[in-house]
Amino acid sequence: MKPAFAAWGAALLTLVPALSAIPADMPMRFGLTTNSATSQPAMEQVVSFPGESTFYVHSPTSCWAQLDRLEFDLVWPTDAPTNAQVLIHLKDWDHWWYQNLLPAKPVPGKTNHYTVPLAPPVPAWRARGHHGTWNLRALMAPAEVGIRVFADAAYSGTVAVAGAKGVAAVPAGPPSILRVRTETERPACFEKFEITFELPDRYLFPFDPSVVAVDVVFDTPDGSRMQVPAFYGQDYFRSTDLSGARLVPQGSPWWKCRFAPRLPGPHIYRINVRDSWGTNTWGPGRFTALPPRQPGFVRISRVDPRCFEFDSGKFFFPLGHNIRSPYDTRMEEQFPWTRRWPADTSVYALYFEAMHESGETLTEVWSAPWSMGLEWTPRWRGYHGMDQYNMLHAWELDTVVNEAEANNIYLNLVIHNHGKFGTAHDHEWEFNPLNAQLGGYLAAPEDYFTDSRAKDSFLRLMRYMIARWGYSTRIFAWQLWSELDLTGSDKGGVKNYQRPEVVEWHRWAGREIKAMDPWDHLVSTHVCGDFTHQNNAIISLPEIDLAAVDAYHFSPDPLHIVALLKQTAQNNNAFGKPVIVTEFGGSPYAQDVKHLEDTLHAGLWTSACVPIGGAPLFWWWQLIDEENFYPKFKALAAFLDGIDRRDPALKPVEPVLFPDPPASRLAVECLGHSTMAIGWIHLAQEFPRVETAGLMPITNLQVRISSLATGTFTMAFWDTIKGEAIRSGQVSATNGIIVVPVPAFRRDIAFKLGRKALPGTGK
């Protein structure tokens, strides 16, 4: 168990702004209006039946969720219809409609008193236009509440509503834990074991552990104990029609715990709940974990910290491309030759399937305000400020993680994008609910890194993300920031990310996440541009497991990516941790498609031959799909199959090509040591023109590799387009040197040399 996590939750008791409690003996008086009137304690309205008339109920929006019932009086004239009915409707803060048809019909000539239950569950409240059920969050800040009277009989006259008031609910007793159910009793190790249950629907801030702390304690087969936070959520389904797709609530909110067992064998678990009214425990529950079918979570290699491996010890060299969000408006700006319709997160299923078929294993997704973010301004759909998470986006991220698991794709999950806390590039600070000008408590975006309230809010956010998605082995890393160097307002001419306070924030955040995360996912942060933007003080922190950086350039030469990747590796290898390029592809503003295709090809094959943690992630994901660049990834995946790069002795080496070609004609990139070499030979200046310049194939070329152990090796030359071996066979090293003729090629060719048999070569 990680006790720091539980201690932090207990310490937050007064940090979330509390709604003012409504005393039960002092009912909240409501104002009333018609469509054209101002708010009054009582309201008359001329009605004409058959038809309907509505009185709108007005109050401070913060009070509704604390109410047990709504009461009001309806003055019904003596000659009014006897078969009229009264219906209460409510639009919640997401504008979903609920209604309650009251059973008692108004009696003519009387003041009819009505009591309408509000505190859930109330089966009489029915959803219309969706499939959600009545719950407390429908009352959090309703957009509209109305009292509607209607009748079929002919009538015209004046009716009145008066005395509208809300009576506070008085929750009592320890929290009940009901309807506990599981998906499976025999999950395999490293796969999801999910527990669903219900708690009292009485929490205004169900995401805050100081309001309600829900944890599940697992006793594992080796006698150790793991504490895993549970989380609150809501199901949705995607409805599609001619107007597009929308997410529709489905069923009641729930509580879940997601757990990934690490060891096979019997497990025992208990659900613990603590709130202001007491504590409760459910259990024990039991399940048996089966032996693993997956290699486990991604770790830093214990053999070579420049590399990744799994819990099982299997080597992992990630290969993939960036899919920050379903849609990128810059595609319209840079490549306007086709009409692209904005996509939603359902497109990830198509992307991930194509990636899987091409051997890709890693992508990056952002939890941003406009895509799968959890907190933002209430002005944007689905958001309700800080500490009230966007349940639509949480459900969408569930579906993305599920698709990643189905297609063996690992997710570099970005927590914060730079625009949220920046005033210059892609600025969104003017919408941030923490902005003091919008009622928040931060005077400037850089204050986020030092304000204690902001830090506590970040911990609540990470607790939820770990609880909901931390179980998944497909979470490659929690990336704290995308483009950290673009945050802040740069007051005083000092870049925000270079400030000691931001370095210390990363130390603190990494430490807290590692204390909270039962599965110890990797933690990283990221800067834009290229490796020269990195802050070495942050990379050096032991709490930061890997470096994430861009590799953009403005050079017209697509082979500039070769030097950039080599420099990125050289700069970062000194820190003794992996480096991943999470964005590249020409300049940040793109270049022509031919340039980007050549850059992609060169970037992928260079990554095989330099000491970085994985292949760089190409940014222009829609271009990959539209131009079908997927075979480029498939070719490299086939080449790398079976290659294990974990060896600190594996360094950049310089094979010799001869007969000596012109110095500017050919280049070779190579990674090797005494028993292994991985190389890529390519045209140096003519690389982007080979298809149009009518260049003759390169023939009669030989490669000499030195500093090898004496003995026999298997060597294969590889077609970088088809992704298959051109020629392979046994070669012998004499005095540590081999000299091998290179098959004819036009633009580039790859080779690999090793003691063992090479997959895909038949040797």
Side-chain angles (χ1 to χ4, degrees):
M1 183 187 296
K2 297 188 175 179
F5 184 87
W8 169 77
L12 280 178
L13 195 56
T14 62
L15 292 175
V16 174
L19 299 180
S20 299
I22 304 172
D25 58 348
M26 294 179 61
M28 172 64 70
R29 302 292 176 178
F30 292 158
L32 297 162
T33 68
T34 61
N35 284 328
S36 58
T38 57
S39 180
Q40 299 179 24
M43 181 65 61
E44 292 184 346
Q45 184 172 180
V46 176
V47 301
S48 295
F49 298 144
E52 60 185 43
S53 290
T54 301
F55 297 82
Y56 294 94
V57 183
H58 295 268
S59 73
T61 57
S62 63
C63 77
W64 284 94
Q66 301 178 71
L67 298 181
D68 176 70
R69 60 191 183 275
L70 166 68
E71 297 184 8
F72 64 92
D73 294 326
L74 175 63
V75 181
W76 201 242
T78 303
D79 57 343
T82 59
N83 64 345
Q85 290 187 280
V86 180
L87 180 142
I88 312 300
H89 81 264
L90 180 145
K91 289 183 182 178
D92 73 7
W93 57 4
D94 289 317
H95 292 266
W96 295 112
W97 179 286
Y98 296 89
Q99 64 185 39
N100 186 342
L101 182 63
L102 304 184
K105 297 179 179 180
V107 178
K110 292 186 61 177
T111 297
N112 297 265
H113 184 76
Y114 286 92
T115 298
V116 184
L118 296 174
V122 184
W125 282 98
R126 303 294 182 87
R128 289 293 180 267
H130 62 102
H131 298 280
T133 59
W134 183 250
N135 65 88
L136 186 68
R137 289 177 74 77
L139 292 164
M140 287 298 293
E144 180 179 291
V145 181
I147 301 170
R148 178 177 299 181
V149 293
F150 57 96
D152 292 332
Y155 175 78
S156 181
T158 300
V159 300
V161 173
K165 63 183 180 181
V167 181
V170 185
S176 57
I177 306 172
L178 303 175
R179 285 177 275 280
V180 179
R181 55 199 183 275
T182 60
E183 289 188 355
T184 176
E185 296 301 325
R186 297 180 67 82
C189 289
F190 304 121
E191 298 181 21
K192 181 170 64 176
F193 175 72
E194 184 171 275
I195 309 165
T196 305
F197 53 96
E198 296 177 17
L199 298 180
D201 194 0
R202 63 190 186 192
Y203 306 116
L204 305 182
F205 292 94
F207 313 108
D208 176 17
S210 73
V211 172
V212 54
V214 189
D215 297 284
V216 182
V217 177
F218 292 85
D219 292 320
T220 63
D222 64 352
S224 62
R225 177 167 288 182
M226 292 181 65
Q227 180 171 299
V228 180
F231 62 95
Y232 176 93
Q234 167 75 55
D235 281 329
Y236 294 83
F237 69 92
R238 202 180 305 273
S239 174
T240 304
D241 55 29
L242 293 178
S243 63
R246 63 173 186 154
L247 298 182
V248 180
Q250 177 75 29
S252 301
W254 37 249
W255 288 83
K256 289 182 183 289
C257 175
R258 291 172 176 166
F259 177 73
R262 294 182 178 182
L263 298 172
H267 290 67
I268 300 174
Y269 61 93
R270 291 173 175 83
I271 304 171
N272 298 322
V273 182
R274 183 188 72 249
D275 66 14
S276 299
W277 298 276
T279 63
N280 202 354
T281 296
W282 179 95
R286 291 177 170 82
F287 72 91
T288 299
L290 301 176
R293 296 177 291 195
Q294 298 182 17
F297 293 88
V298 178
R299 309 295 183 197
I300 305 301
S301 171
R302 291 166 291 183
V303 175
D304 185 347
R306 300 172 301 175
C307 301
F308 300 104
E309 63 189 22
F310 294 105
D311 283 315
S312 66
K314 180 181 177 182
F315 174 64
F316 181 49
F317 185 83
L319 169 65
H321 65 275
N322 200 305
I323 314 180
R324 175 208 66 188
S325 56
Y327 183 72
D328 186 4
T329 56
R330 286 187 296 177
M331 283 290 295
E332 299 298 311
E333 299 166 2
Q334 304 300 327
F335 312 108
W337 53 72
T338 186
R339 182 69 174 95
R340 301 175 184 88
W341 300 100
D344 60 30
T345 52
S346 63
V347 77
Y348 278 105
L350 302 176
Y351 285 146
F352 288 175
E353 183 178 354
M355 291 176 69
H356 177 64
E357 292 176 353
S358 302
E360 295 186 67
T361 53
L362 179 68
T363 192
E364 177 173 287
V365 298
W366 291 14
S367 177
W370 24 266
S371 179
M372 296 184 288
L374 297 185
E375 295 177 299
W376 200 236
T377 173
R379 301 178 188 178
W380 292 25
R381 179 176 178 266
Y383 288 108
H384 306 290
M386 302 302 293
D387 298 303
Q388 293 288 3
Y389 300 151
N390 187 324
M391 293 289 90
L392 291 89
H393 282 185
W395 181 86
E396 286 191 288
L397 187 49
D398 272 354
T399 66
V400 173
V401 172
N402 291 342
E403 290 296 339
E405 292 173 351
N407 290 284
N408 199 37
I409 303 297
Y410 291 81
L411 303 176
N412 192 45
L413 182 56
V414 174
I415 309 302
H416 282 322
N417 61 297
H418 60 283
K420 292 194 292 188
F421 292 94
T423 59
H425 303 276
D426 308 313
H427 54 88
E428 299 167 315
W429 173 242
E430 61 268 34
F431 303 111
N432 195 318
L434 291 177
N435 188 334
Q437 295 186 8
L438 299 179
Y441 49 76
L442 299 183
E446 53 265 33
D447 295 341
Y448 183 77
F449 295 90
T450 55
D451 189 279
S452 61
R453 294 162 294 181
K455 293 171 77 172
D456 287 323
S457 180
F458 175 78
L459 290 184
R460 287 190 289 273
L461 176 65
M462 285 308 307
R463 180 187 193 274
Y464 189 83
M465 298 190 79
I466 290 168
R468 190 151 188 169
W469 301 293
Y471 77 92
S472 180
T473 58
R474 297 318 191 278
I475 300 297
F476 171 76
W478 308 115
Q479 184 173 295
L480 302 178
W481 292 91
S482 175
E483 301 182 321
L484 174 70
D485 50 322
L486 301 183
T487 61
S489 55
D490 292 344
K491 290 183 178 179
V494 178
K495 289 287 188 181
N496 179 57
Y497 82 115
Q498 297 286 4
R499 295 165 56 223
E501 295 88 344
V502 176
V503 177
E504 181 55 34
W505 184 93
H506 279 79
R507 185 195 311 276
W508 164 83
R511 182 178 63 245
E512 294 294 330
I513 290 172
K514 290 178 183 299
M516 283 193 285
D517 186 352
W519 296 281
D520 299 312
H521 290 83
L522 305 179
V523 177
S524 71
T525 197
H526 167 269
V527 293
C528 75
D530 61 30
F531 71 95
T532 62
H533 290 219
Q534 292 178 283
N535 182 346
N536 292 350
I538 293 177
I539 306 172
S540 300
L541 293 172
E543 292 82 5
I544 300 299
D545 297 305
L546 68 139
V549 66
D550 290 351
Y552 288 117
H553 64 87
F554 290 90
S555 170
D557 181 7
L559 287 182
H560 189 77
I561 189 63
V562 177
L564 197 49
L565 289 178
K566 292 165 72 173
Q567 293 165 345
T568 299
Q570 182 179 10
N571 182 73
N572 283 274
N573 286 167
F575 299 106
K577 55 185 67 175
V579 59
I580 286 284
V581 171
T582 61
E583 296 182 32
F584 86 109
S587 82
Y589 310 102
Q591 270 142 308
D592 65 83
V593 173
K594 179 63 169 59
H595 177 100
L596 292 175
E597 182 179 7
D598 289 341
T599 299
L600 171 59
H601 184 91
L604 291 178
W605 285 96
T606 300
S607 70
C609 307
V610 296
I612 59 177
L617 305 184
F618 190 73
W619 174 262
W620 308 100
W621 63 90
Q622 289 176 272
L623 204 62
I624 290 174
D625 202 61
E626 293 173 4
E627 301 295 323
N628 190 27
F629 290 161
Y630 291 112
K632 297 184 181 298
F633 298 91
K634 191 171 186 177
L636 182 61
F639 176 78
L640 293 175
D641 183 29
I643 293 178
D644 187 337
R645 296 166 44 143
R646 290 174 295 181
D647 190 332
L650 197 62
K651 306 286 186 182
V653 296
E654 298 182 359
V656 176
L657 303 176
F658 67 94
D660 292 337
S664 61
R665 186 84 197 277
L666 291 172
V668 57
E669 324 303 332
C670 189
L671 197 62
H673 57 43
S674 61
T675 61
M676 177 181 179
I678 311 167
W680 179 53
I681 303 169
H682 58 89
L683 292 172
Q685 293 186 348
E686 301 160 316
F687 185 84
R689 302 191 304 274
V690 66
E691 292 91 350
T692 58
L695 300 178
M696 297 297 292
I698 305 294
T699 58
N700 301 319
L701 184 70
Q702 296 186 75
V703 60
R704 178 169 58 227
I705 305 174
S706 304
S707 301
L708 294 171
T710 300
T712 302
F713 293 81
T714 298
M715 186 167 192
F717 287 93
W718 212 264
D719 186 315
T720 62
I721 300 299
K722 295 180 180 179
E724 60 187 29
I726 300 171
R727 188 177 71 209
S728 62
Q730 301 292 311
V731 294
S732 295
T734 303
N735 297 323
I737 298 173
I738 65 166
V739 177
V740 182
V742 179
F745 66 94
R746 290 179 58 83
R747 183 175 68 167
D748 64 331
I749 192 170
F751 63 84
K752 50 186 177 179
L753 174 78
R755 288 287 204 188
K756 299 179 181 179
L758 301 176
T761 66
K763 301 293 184 182

